[in-house]
Structures are given as structure tokens and as C-alpha cells.
Amino acid sequence: MEIVKVNLGRRSYSIHLGEKLSQVGRIVKELDIGKKILLVSDSKVFRYYGETVKKSLEKQGCGVFVAKIPPGEKYKSLNQAIKLYEKCVRTKLERGSAILALGGGVINDLAGFVAATYLRGINFIALPTTLLAQVDASIGGKVGVDLSQAKNLVGSFYQPGAVLIDSETLKTLPSREIKNGLSEVVKYGIIKDKSLFEYLEKNLEKIKKLDISSLQRIIEKSVRIKAGIVSRDEREEEGEREILNFGHTIGHSIETAGDYRNYRHGEAVSIGMLKATEIAVAMHLCPSDLLLRIEKLLRRIGLSTRIEKISKRKIYQGLFLDKKKRGGKLHFILPRELGDVFICENVPFHLIRKVLQK
Ligand code: NAD
Ligand code: GLY
């Protein structure tokens, strides 16, 4: 078991790597928070792991209430948040109470958003069960919900009190979801860590077969990268956290244009990373070899590399909701080489349209 810290000035929290879900009661006890808990999960994840978590908490004397959400991105919505607020009222959650999120990124973002806003903020603990949530969504405190116009349009920065990562839970994850999470691991390799990218190239077959030590290695490397970035730039104000959005400008727009149904988050980010790299090559900012190498790895993983069945015009238009969020300028994260990216504010619009058409 390893503990990685996210240090945020006077506050910090621990990410417990390789810890068993059955230990959650002990971790909650160590945090010395109230004993009333709302466990938020999706119905599928709850079937696998709900009782283990509930029993572990009850063993430590906690009163546990459960809220189950149907699986799927379309439930990361204000409507579901309202239902959860109502549950918080019915169960009389107080300031010292806690919300625990057991599930993937959808549950993390939704439950975290409710924890951030109910009573102006109650305790929040993340128990991520997808690869994507273990390497990315559960770390760093971005919580929120989607609107039909764009992803994550309503949200907050709200850090968890702790994150418990039990990588054994990945054994029940469908292979499409493993690939989905690997997309974010590839992202870390490109933005920050060439050796992680190379590790993926060399060990992909083992990883796809869910070899636990290889999985734990890529999870630990990813978590350390993200925890470091968030510790230095919690609110995306210093220019560093923004690089985590590599592939997300176009990726988010693909997800929204497909009505959150056609592409999983990591699948859309996979295409977004390739499109951003195509832009960098066209602007002579990075070598074309890099594009080929990234594309090869994404294909070997089994990730999408082309936009299909979605209007490219809709994707292009969707980009400008991102523009509003970022001081009037469309920001792209572009690669120079493996492990080195930068923020570019002047990508010509005709070039964006051109790479989308490919
Ligand atoms: P998800 O939460 O929808 O989970 C995917 C599917 O896997 C669901 O059907 C779920 O029921 C199932 N599942 C989860 N764990 C399982 C397990 N152990 N065994 C079997 N089935 C399991 O999707 P996701 O990819 O984890 O998350 C995507 C979301 O995360 C998107 O909304 C994205 O915007 C968000 N995200 C947030 C951040 C952040 O920083 N907050 C970062 C990246 C992505
Ligand atoms: N997933 C991007 C971030 O957490 O900043």
C-alpha cells in the first residue's frame, strides 16, 4: 500500500493506493468526521461493491444511507443532483456528515458536486472503481454536472478528504472501460512523462489482460503526476493544471455533440489528442513521427482515432463554449515532443476545421 499526498497550502489529503475497499471504515474513522454517511453509487457498481463498503463503515459505527443512480453520463445532471439533495434532506445530513462516491467518474463528479454545495459543503470521500476515475477523475477536486449545451458547465473545485483506490475492482470492469481509462494514462505520458508512454508501449498486452502489477504501476505513476500538478496549481490559475486538458477541447465537444451517448469520455479524448497533435504538426510545432507514434499506441489499445456518426459542424460550434470559459480565447494544449506540451491560443480556425474534416 502506498500513500500519495495532494498538498494544498495548509490543507492536504491522502490518496490510498492499493488499499482494499473493505478498509474504508478504518479510513473514515481516522479522518475523524461525523458518523452519518450517504453512500452514492451507480446501481451496477453497488451490486459488486456496495455491501462491502457498507459493512466496513457500519463496523466502525457509521449510519449508512444509500443513493443509487442508474449508470451513464446522462445522469451526471442537475436533475440527479436535485434528487440527491432531497435525499440529503430526508436523511438529515449535517455539516459534519460525509458523502462517499463509489463508482466511476460520473458518480465522482456528481456526488462530489452535491457534497460541495449541500449546506455549502460537507465531507467528501472518493472510492473510484473505473480506471479512468482511479487515474484522473477522483483526484484534484473538479466536481460538477453536464448541461445539454456542454460538459461540466456547472461545477466547483472541491477537494475530497481522502481517496481510496482499490485496483482489484478493475477486474470486473468491461474491457471498453479499461481502454477508456488508458486514454487518460496515454495523456499523462504525452504531457509529462515519456517513460510512462514507453511503459505503455512495452507492456500493453499485460495491461489489457489486467495484470495487476502493471495496472498498479500505471495507476501510481498517473496519480503521482496528477497529484503533483494539482498541488502546484489547484484551480487551474498558474498555467500548469491546464495541460491536463490535452485532447479535451475537441474531446469534450465530441462527447456533447454525440449527446453523451456515442463516445465514452476517454474515447473522445483519444480523438481529441490526435486532432491536437495533427494541429501541432500542421503548424510545424512538432514532428510528424510523434503523431504516428501516438496514433499507433491508441489503435493498439483499441481506442477511437476517427470521428464517426457525429456532425463535424456541431463539434466545431461546440468548441466555442470552451472559448467562453477561457477569457475569450480558444485554448489548445499542443505537444512539442513526448512529455512536453504547451498552451497555444492562436490556432487558426481554418486549421481546426481542416483536422475535424479528416
Ligand atoms: P462511468 O462513471 O460512467 O463508469 C463507466 C461504466 O463502468 C458504468 O457503466 C459503471 O456502472 C461501470 N463500472 C464502474 N466501475 C465498475 C467496476 N469496477 N466493475 C464493473 N463496472 C463498473 O465512466 P468513467 O469513464 O469512469 O467516468 C467518466 C466521467 O468522468 C465523465 O463524466 C468525465 O467528464 C469525468 N471526468 C472527470 C474528471 C475530473 O477531474 N473530475 C476527469 C476525467 C473525467
Ligand atoms: N481532468 C482535468 C483536470 O482534472 O484538471
Side-chain angles (χ1 to χ4, degrees):
M1 213 206 68
E2 289 274 340
I3 292 188
V4 176
K5 287 262 180 201
V6 176
N7 294 304
L8 307 159
R10 276 181 293 165
R11 286 170 304 134
S12 73
Y13 63 91
S14 297
I15 302 164
H16 301 256
L17 288 165
E19 187 61 275
K20 296 267 172 271
L21 277 179
S22 58
Q23 295 303 306
V24 62
R26 178 181 53 77
I27 287 169
V28 166
K29 191 172 178 206
E30 282 165 10
L31 287 174
D32 199 19
I33 55 179
K35 293 209 158 177
K36 194 179 262 189
I37 284 173
L38 179 62
L39 175 61
V40 181
S41 190
D42 80 33
S43 44
K44 185 174 167 198
V45 176
F46 192 85
R47 269 202 303 280
Y48 284 115
Y49 305 109
E51 285 307 322
T52 304
V53 170
K54 200 164 168 272
K55 275 194 196 124
S56 166
L57 292 163
E58 284 169 348
K59 209 168 136 196
Q60 299 294 339
C62 297
V64 185
F65 300 89
V66 175
K68 286 184 239 173
I69 313 285
E73 182 77 29
K74 73 172 175 172
Y75 297 100
K76 196 175 118 178
S77 67
L78 278 175
N79 272 347
Q80 285 302 323
I82 290 168
K83 287 187 183 160
L84 286 175
Y85 292 137
E86 286 164 356
K87 181 100 182 179
C88 293
V89 176
R90 280 200 304 280
T91 52
K92 299 192 173 63
L93 288 201
E94 299 165 359
R95 270 272 170 85
S97 307
I99 289 184
L100 266 62
L102 173 68
V106 166
I107 292 298
N108 178 84
D109 291 10
L110 172 68
F113 177 67
V114 171
T117 45
Y118 187 66
L119 302 181
R120 298 200 180 88
I122 64 174
N123 297 299
F124 172 50
I125 292 162
L127 311 173
T129 62
T130 61
L131 181 58
L132 184 137
Q134 296 188 354
V135 297
D136 192 353
S138 65
I139 303 150
K142 280 191 182 176
V143 295
V145 294
D146 303 329
L147 300 186
S148 59
Q149 292 87 344
K151 261 184 78 77
N152 301 334
L153 220 47
V154 177
S156 178
F157 287 98
Y158 195 70
Q159 301 294 340
V163 181
L164 185 163
I165 298 182
D166 181 349
S167 26
E168 297 280 339
T169 58
L170 302 181
K171 287 190 174 151
T172 54
L173 199 61
S175 75
R176 183 174 182 189
E177 299 302 335
I178 296 287
K179 295 173 194 168
N180 181 43
L182 283 174
S183 176
E184 298 283 8
V185 182
V186 172
K187 176 189 83 177
Y188 291 122
I190 300 170
I191 64 171
K192 221 40 180 185
D193 188 346
K194 184 179 176 187
S195 72
L196 175 56
F197 191 95
E198 289 167 347
Y199 184 84
L200 287 172
E201 287 180 320
K202 285 197 193 101
N203 296 280
L204 190 60
E205 297 321 314
K206 276 202 283 179
I207 292 168
K208 281 167 93 175
K209 285 185 191 141
L210 303 186
D211 170 64
I212 204 76
S213 75
S214 319
L215 279 171
Q216 280 173 340
R217 175 128 178 219
I218 59 172
I219 293 169
E220 181 180 345
K221 275 190 166 251
S222 303
V223 164
R224 286 191 188 281
I225 292 170
K226 182 148 185 191
I229 292 176
V230 171
S231 298
R232 291 184 292 272
D233 182 15
E234 181 189 0
R235 291 183 168 244
E236 212 165 286
E237 289 163 343
E238 311 296 329
E240 187 174 0
R241 185 163 183 169
E242 204 178 333
I243 67 171
L244 290 168
N245 298 338
F246 175 56
H248 285 56
T249 313
I250 288 179
H252 276 171
S253 198
I254 291 174
E255 276 185 269
T256 309
D259 218 8
Y260 308 120
R261 276 197 304 261
N262 299 45
Y263 288 94
R264 311 274 311 108
H265 178 72
E267 294 166 355
V269 166
S270 166
I271 299 173
M273 290 192 290
L274 278 178
K275 296 296 169 199
T277 310
E278 281 177 32
I279 288 171
V281 171
M283 291 173 80
H284 306 289
L285 299 168
C286 91
S288 54
D289 289 6
L290 183 64
L291 176 62
L292 296 176
R293 194 166 167 191
I294 295 173
E295 186 166 7
K296 186 171 174 200
L297 181 58
L298 294 172
R299 275 186 198 279
R300 280 180 63 207
I301 292 172
L303 279 158
S304 335
T305 53
R306 296 178 69 82
I307 303 166
E308 277 158 25
K309 296 186 206 140
I310 300 183
S311 148
K312 302 199 171 132
R313 196 163 57 88
K314 216 169 158 191
I315 298 171
Y316 181 73
Q317 284 166 352
L319 294 175
F320 293 90
L321 272 164
D322 252 68
K323 184 183 175 201
K324 278 200 209 90
K325 276 194 283 185
R326 298 175 191 186
K329 288 202 169 133
L330 200 52
H331 281 201
F332 272 90
I333 314 303
L334 301 182
R336 281 194 198 92
E337 57 181 304
L338 277 184
D340 182 14
V341 294
F342 66 102
I343 301 165
C344 182
E345 295 183 358
N346 54 4
V347 174
F349 291 162
H350 73 85
L351 194 52
I352 303 171
R353 280 197 294 267
K354 190 173 160 198
V355 300
L356 284 177
Q357 282 315 320
K358 273 199 179 171

